[in-house]
Amino acid sequence: MQIAEIRIRTRTAPDELALKRGKIALQSDWMLQLTGPCKVYRPDGKPLCVYLPGHMQKYADDEHVYSILHSLRSIKSGNRGLAGGTIAMQHGTQKRRYAVPVSTSIIGAIEDVSVFKYCRLTAWTGANLPQWEYLQSMLQHVAGALQTYVPARYAAQAAAAAATLPAWVVPGTPFTTITVNNTFPTGYHTDKGDLDAGFSAIACLRKGTYAGGELCFPEYKVAVDMQHGDLLLMDAHDWHGNAAIICACDKAVKTLCKNCQAERISVVSYFRTKMTKCGTPEEQLQKARDLLETKV
Ligand SMILES: O=C(O)CCC(=O)C(=O)O
């Protein structure tokens, strides 16, 4: 594939960027929209993203892949921080901000975060192993693109994967963990917990008709409107977020549209840094049992 190379400039001052934290992207936040295959470099010469239109077409069109990803929409989380967005509520004289539960789920492996003090396959993954295995050829295709187009980042991530017990790595990939988002715009955020030297990958599936949802890098005023089957490889440590999703029935939606069924699924693949430290599944299971016993 012929791929254009673009070097971009910083277009937003740090203080202006800081004001955008958690906010939904606006059309005025970008000056350049990527429309064809390209590799974009930051002013410091490091890769920001690689846009590969249609690279995931075969998998996006696979109805079984779609039905698995679509089924995940019922899992909601209020743990996405800035990415999930917040709503303000008045409590007497005080205004507080609350996280909005959004359709986002983590599949694959995760280290000992939050209340779970042991490494594990996430609940959905453990309960849906055939579906999880079915998704793996798609994830291997994503990994192939990473290796071809961002070889140094792939090598760093593959080294981390090689230093991790195979039980925690998606076979044939340098990914431990996948986030599946369904039809909500992420507020401007940077990703946390994934490998600094690595790169993330976002595959997009679309159903129905909607406008918006562009993914924007506000520091550089660059955006991409991912279509069905597109893949974006990106440095998720740069600020990024989506524009509002306006579906065909003219509503801004934060979940799959109940009227017109417009849907945007994004599948984000990455390596979680702390997974290199996870013991065997048997050790982690014992840790979980020990913790349970101390609580009883
Ligand atoms: O859906 C997208 O385009 C972005 C997803 C994202 O940035 C995230 O899940 O952290």
Side-chain angles (χ1 to χ4, degrees), residues 12 31-32 62 64 67 86 92 108 110 133 135 138 144 167-168 177 181 193 199 208 218 232 294:
T12 308
M31 294 164 63
L32 173 69
D62 179 329
H64 193 44
S67 73
T86 57
I110 188 92
E133 280 165 14
L135 293 179
M138 174 175 105
W168 309 123
T177 315
N181 301 310
F199 229 54
L232 186 76
T294 56

Side-chain angles (χ1 to χ4, degrees), residues 15-262:
D15 51 345
E16 204 187 319
L17 197 58
L19 294 175
K20 295 187 182 293
R21 296 173 77 240
K23 302 246 169 73
I24 298 302
L26 303 173
Q27 297 266 333
S28 53
D29 288 348
W30 63 87
M31 294 164 63
L32 173 69
Q33 186 166 326
L34 310 178
T35 52
C38 58
K39 182 164 182 176
V40 181
Y41 292 92
R42 299 193 313 203
D44 63 4
K46 293 186 178 158
L48 172 71
C49 66
V50 180
Y51 179 41
L52 301 170
H55 192 82
M56 303 304 295
Q57 199 71 45
K58 171 177 156 202
Y59 299 94
D61 287 346
D62 179 329
E63 277 305 315
H64 193 44
V65 165
Y66 169 72
S67 73
I68 296 168
L69 297 173
H70 175 74
S71 72
L72 286 162
R73 74 195 181 287
S74 54
I75 303 175
K76 303 224 175 203
S77 169
N79 273 345
R80 286 300 314 265
L82 294 175
T86 57
I87 43 164
M89 298 237 283
Q90 197 76 32
H91 284 267
T93 54
Q94 282 187 329
K95 209 179 215 180
R96 287 196 205 139
R97 297 206 73 84
Y98 293 92
V100 187
V102 285
S103 278
T104 186
S105 40
I106 294 180
I107 63 175
I110 188 92
E111 77 276 15
D112 47 351
V113 282
S114 74
V115 290
F116 302 100
K117 302 289 178 224
Y118 47 88
C119 305
R120 62 202 183 278
L121 290 181
T122 67
W124 179 89
T125 314
N128 295 276
L129 284 175
Q131 288 87 336
W132 170 233
E133 280 165 14
Y134 193 84
L135 293 179
Q136 291 177 3
S137 52
M138 174 175 105
L139 302 174
Q140 286 153 6
H141 194 64
V142 172
L146 200 58
Q147 184 170 23
T148 305
Y149 295 102
V150 207
R153 300 300 182 100
Y154 174 87
Q157 211 159 302
T164 304
L165 289 173
W168 309 123
V169 180
V170 181
T173 80
F175 307 126
T176 54
T177 315
I178 318 297
T179 298
V180 181
N181 301 310
N182 195 309
T183 325
F184 73 93
T186 61
Y188 282 130
H189 66 287
T190 56
D191 288 3
K192 307 268 177 327
D194 58 315
L195 196 69
D196 282 341
F199 229 54
S200 296
I202 305 184
C204 183
L205 281 80
R206 294 174 65 143
K207 291 270 180 195
T209 308
Y210 65 81
E214 295 92 338
L215 181 68
C216 176
F217 297 94
E219 190 170 355
Y220 310 108
K221 290 194 180 280
V222 171
V224 54
D225 182 11
M226 293 183 74
Q227 301 300 309
H228 182 70
D230 289 358
L231 180 66
L232 186 76
L233 312 173
M234 60 178 272
D235 194 330
H237 306 107
D238 273 287
W239 286 96
H240 60 281
N242 301 96
I245 298 173
I246 316 287
C247 60
C249 50
D250 216 19
K251 282 206 180 79
V253 284
K254 290 199 167 170
T255 183
L256 185 148
C257 181
K258 289 188 182 66
N259 289 336
C260 71
Q261 304 295 308

